[in-house]
Amino acid sequence: MRNSKVVSLEEAIRRSGLKDGQTISFHHHFRGGDKVVNMVVDKLAQMGFKDLKLAASSLSDVHKPLIEHIKNGVITGISTSGLRGELADAISHGLLPEPVVFRSHGGRGSAIAKGELKIDVAFLGASSADELGNATGHGEKSVCGSLGYALPDARYAKHVVVLTDDLVEYPNMPQSISAADVESVVVVESVGDSSKISSGAIRDSKNPRDILLAKQAAKVIINSGYFKDGFSIQTGTGGASLAAVKYIREEMIARGIKASFALGGITAHMVKLHEEGLIGKLIDVQSFDKVAAESIHNDPLHQEVSAVEYASGEHLGSATHALDIVILSALEVDTQFNVNVLVGSDGIIRGAIGGHQDTAADSALSIIVCPLLRGRIPCVVPKVTTLITPGKSVDVVVTEYGIAVNPARPEIAEKLKEAGLKVVDIKDLAAKASSIIGTPDPLPFGDKVVGVVMNRDGSVLDKIYNIK
């Protein structure tokens, strides 16, 4: 093609005009199977770049090679929704020169759209692309489905490079990323392993405790007053919150209730309900498994949405504003209903904000599902290790020892009591946890700030200090 944008990765980098100290961005739709971040940063290191800032929608275990690039000064700053694995461990101990900036998915979208997070070059993996850069999450070699977290980068970055392992004939339609936003196309052997999209926190759980919690969460939804024809729902990661969908389905069929839409990271469970006619439409910012990724390609009522349109607190048209019910997980909840989903009880970063803040704030009913204890670790505590989602956004906390309702929502507590559910004071749950395992020793935090947690409005919520 005469106007082909196809070049090598090195040539794409040279054409971008990238300079030391600038910001590069990536998305995480391939999750644990992502191959783009390591591939690109390896090439940047070979080309001699230094002091780059890496703005990823999220980072995980597979990005361990970034440790060496941080040590060598190639990467000196990171902004992301989450960190996991050895990379997170090293950063928790103070590896990175600058604090990591943690934003929710909606907060990241807003920051990019407003120019608070300026991206010089976006490197975006796509399952297919044509020679001009029209790109999608569906291809012959790899499938990731929605590219919702990549769309703000594609629209607002100064320079956009699409990487793909499936170069198709022009025009690649319908496209997720438009050729109008793309400067270069790079063909590589593989952009990601689709089999690793559904992993870790989004796997189905067969844990009896998770199943018990899922049933309790479903009972909360069914008796909340929001479970009626036309309701909308989102489930976060975590075995119990995902499993709750199965039990809601049974009651929907029994009562003849249908949901108007399901939102967020879409799973095979949601696709099944949609195909059964129990959910009208699917609004998908991230396909959580291959079934969802295939569905979004084939079903016109399963639509991709950008991170801005999904969960920005400042975008009046964002989908979370229309959300009735959200089920979310937590590492910790405290007696003020504040939630931590990012830092473990050992002080190590091991999670992601994701859309937690966004959906909790905007939904009509936000439900946190977590066990009272994980092993010898309390999950309901006097004060969370790190504040991620403010308690004013949390309505109900479901544990195996009872259900706590935010005092700001007395009408919910009354409905659950009328249904015969065990409603307890959240302080009693914290006391129960303490009586079983005692009071943990204070964590050995140092004085170096290794992370800054942003609220979705751009204000600072908390700081994370290095663990000794």
Side-chain angles (χ1 to χ4, degrees), residues 220 223-226 410-421 423:
V220 169
N223 294 288
S224 66
Y226 292 97
E411 78 284 7
I412 300 295
E414 194 58 36
K415 288 179 183 296
L416 300 185
K417 288 175 183 175
E418 289 174 1
L421 297 179
V423 177

Side-chain angles (χ1 to χ4, degrees), residues 84 93 153 158 197 264 268 285 335 351 411 453:
R84 292 182 173 87
H93 284 89
D153 306 55
K158 293 178 184 176
I197 293 175
V285 72
T335 54
E411 78 284 7
V453 179

